[in-house]
Amino acid sequence: MIYRKKVAIIGGGASGLVAAICAARQGISVELFEKSAKVGRKILATGNGRCNISNEHILVENYHGKNLFFIKEILKRFSTQDAKKFFSGIGLEIVEGTNGRLYPMSLQSSSVVELLLYECKRLGVSINLSCEVIKIIKENSLFRVFTESLSKTYDNVIIATGSLAMPSLGSSESGYKFARAFGLEIEKPFASLVQLVCSDKFVLDASGVKIDAYIEVFVDREVKNSARGDLLFTNYGLSGSAILDISRSVSEAIVKKCEVLLKIDLMPNLSLNELKSLLQKRAKNLPLELWLSGIINKKLIKLIANVSKVSLKNQIDTKVIHKLSFAIKNLTVKVENTKGTKSCEVMAGGVSTKDINSKTMQSKQVEGLFFCGEVLDVDGDCGGYNLHFAWASGYLAGKSL
Ligand SMILES: Cc1cc2nc3c(=O)[nH]c(=O)nc-3n(C[C@H](O)[C@H](O)[C@H](O)COP(=O)(O)OP(=O)(O)OC[C@H]3O[C@@H](n4cnc5c(N)ncnc54)[C@H](O)[C@@H]3O)c2cc1C
């Protein structure tokens, strides 16, 4: 009888499911362990239920982590075209949205999970649901995998347990714990793509307002990052796509206990002078109470008057126009914190990639032990980059066994 190599895959999320398919396609006997009652729970939540599966423009510049060379090597081996080919091979058609974002044609993340699961089953992958792996040890050349009720041996193990982001969707620390037990290093994890907590009353009072804004991040008074896009005022602070885009640098600074200030331009389409002229013109033509309404949200009028210490009941003169225009273009907000792991979409940090072979995803110290997905010290921007990395690293791990 021919001996079939056996692999245990820990985690039935994006990277684990792709790794399972690629390993099973080579005739390897694959057993997948998933602690939740269903696979792919996080995939279901992606892209607001539409699953922003990848991006037409996958560049290393959209990724972060200590070792960008490692990330570049992986992206070289699994491009957008490779992602499209892989998904079309399991029956999923892909369409392009704005900014190169790719989605399943159904615009339903459930179809992605269903097709990945169907392919796993078709290839004979054995899937253990509600089955949390609690320990992995190496005995001679084999790995012993422990759950609460069993322990079994395998030739290889792929750790695809994801990060701590949004534990309500199954995330856990176990991948870091397994890696540490094998002597691998962990880069300190911190929340990314996350909402920001601010306690300034004027921010909280504007809760519910959503505008297009340009935001600059000042860490200890130095500009670190900027973004343009949706800004949403909430009852805890700030959210929206522009906030998610800058959140990594804010989160990193907060972990280091630095002061973080945001300078927000509430009217990025107008220069300061253009705004002043507009206000001047309107002051001549409109009564005082209607002077600003029609160009800015009513809640923001209050906010701007408040921070610029201007009374809108008095006569409007050049000084008032200057103060208000300046406040609209330079609203300064102090960030107290991020909403943390409970609310973030991804975690930065994770298993150090200096210990992982970028061609195979195998540990350089522990032969036969592989890692893929967000458990690694790799995180991407918003726009399909994180799922792309999960598919890419899962694909390489599964193929390299
Ligand atoms: C709300 C939300 C929206 C997002 N939207 C997008 C998007 O549109 N586009 C994008 O690119 N990225 C998005 N992301 C990020 C993306 O979902 C993740 O980067 C990706 O799912 C990571 O894949 P993974 O396989 O590493 O981890 P996961 O998909 O999290 O899978 C890990 C699996 O391992 C299981 N597990 C953990 N520990 C154990 C254990 N000890 N034993 C057994 N099983 C275990 C978990 O239950 C989980 O199912 C989003 C994330 C969130 C939270």
Side-chain angles (χ1 to χ4, degrees), residues 8 45 83 101 118 124 126 179 248 273 371 378 400-401:
R101 290 173 189 228
Y118 174 77
S126 155
R248 191 185 196 276
N273 283 339
F371 289 83
V378 177
S400 315
L401 293 174

Side-chain angles (χ1 to χ4, degrees), residues 10-16 33-36 40-43 45-47 51-53 131-133 160-163 166 169-172 174 178 344-346 372-375 383-388 390:
I10 323 299
S15 63
F33 294 87
E34 169 51 56
K35 79 180 178 67
S36 299
R41 280 180 65 207
K42 200 172 269 181
I43 303 175
T46 58
C51 190
N52 178 195
I53 208 162
C131 201
E132 180 170 6
V133 171
T161 45
S163 74
M166 254 189 221
L169 296 175
S171 305
S172 80
S174 51
F178 300 144
C344 70
E345 287 193 9
V346 293
C372 55
E374 219 183 288
V375 70
Y385 300 99
N386 287 295
L387 278 175
H388 185 89

Side-chain angles (χ1 to χ4, degrees), residues 153-354:
T153 56
Y154 301 88
D155 300 282
N156 296 123
V157 167
I158 299 180
I159 295 181
T161 45
S163 74
L164 268 172
M166 254 189 221
S168 57
L169 296 175
S171 305
S172 80
E173 273 193 295
S174 51
Y176 309 145
K177 205 179 75 190
F178 300 144
R180 265 195 211 104
F182 280 108
L184 279 83
E185 280 176 33
I186 308 292
E187 296 297 340
K188 193 180 163 96
F190 61 91
S192 185
L193 306 189
V194 63
Q195 306 85 343
L196 305 180
V197 177
C198 315
S199 56
D200 287 322
K201 191 173 172 307
F202 60 81
V203 172
L204 310 182
D205 284 347
S207 176
V209 176
K210 188 177 174 184
I211 54 161
D212 172 39
Y214 174 74
I215 307 173
E216 279 180 307
V217 182
F218 285 77
V219 174
D220 287 343
R221 316 260 150 177
E222 238 181 78
V223 188
K224 278 280 175 252
N225 197 0
S226 63
R228 165 109 187 238
D230 283 346
L231 170 69
L232 176 66
F233 292 80
T234 70
N235 60 5
Y236 57 79
L238 298 170
S239 182
S241 65
I243 291 296
L244 296 191
D245 286 345
I246 55 159
S247 63
R248 191 185 196 276
S249 45
V250 172
S251 186
E252 192 173 14
I254 282 173
V255 169
K256 291 181 184 156
K257 305 213 175 322
C258 301
E259 182 199 52
V260 184
L261 296 176
L262 303 182
K263 196 177 99 183
I264 305 176
D265 182 347
L266 300 169
M267 284 197 185
N269 282 333
L270 298 177
S271 69
L272 182 63
N273 283 339
E274 283 168 340
L275 178 60
K276 279 188 202 169
S277 316
L278 178 69
L279 295 186
Q280 199 91 55
K281 197 171 94 195
R282 291 174 67 87
K284 282 187 205 139
N285 302 336
L286 289 163
L288 203 54
E289 63 279 14
L290 295 177
W291 178 52
L292 288 175
S293 66
I295 60 164
I296 190 162
N297 184 295
K298 285 196 180 72
K299 279 190 177 176
L300 294 184
I301 298 176
K302 256 183 157 177
L303 181 157
I304 292 303
N306 191 351
V307 295
S308 57
K309 299 192 172 54
V310 161
S311 164
L312 293 175
K313 293 198 177 90
N314 299 337
Q315 201 51 43
I316 295 152
D317 57 19
T318 323
K319 214 167 146 194
V320 166
I321 287 180
H322 176 79
K323 274 189 175 179
L324 289 174
S325 309
F326 188 82
I328 288 172
K329 301 287 291 175
N330 297 279
L331 178 68
T332 303
V333 175
K334 186 173 183 330
V335 181
E336 306 292 341
N337 210 339
T338 71
K339 287 286 272 179
T341 48
K342 275 194 185 145
S343 309
C344 70
E345 287 193 9
V346 293
M347 293 290 287
V351 176
S352 170
T353 51
K354 76 175 164 47

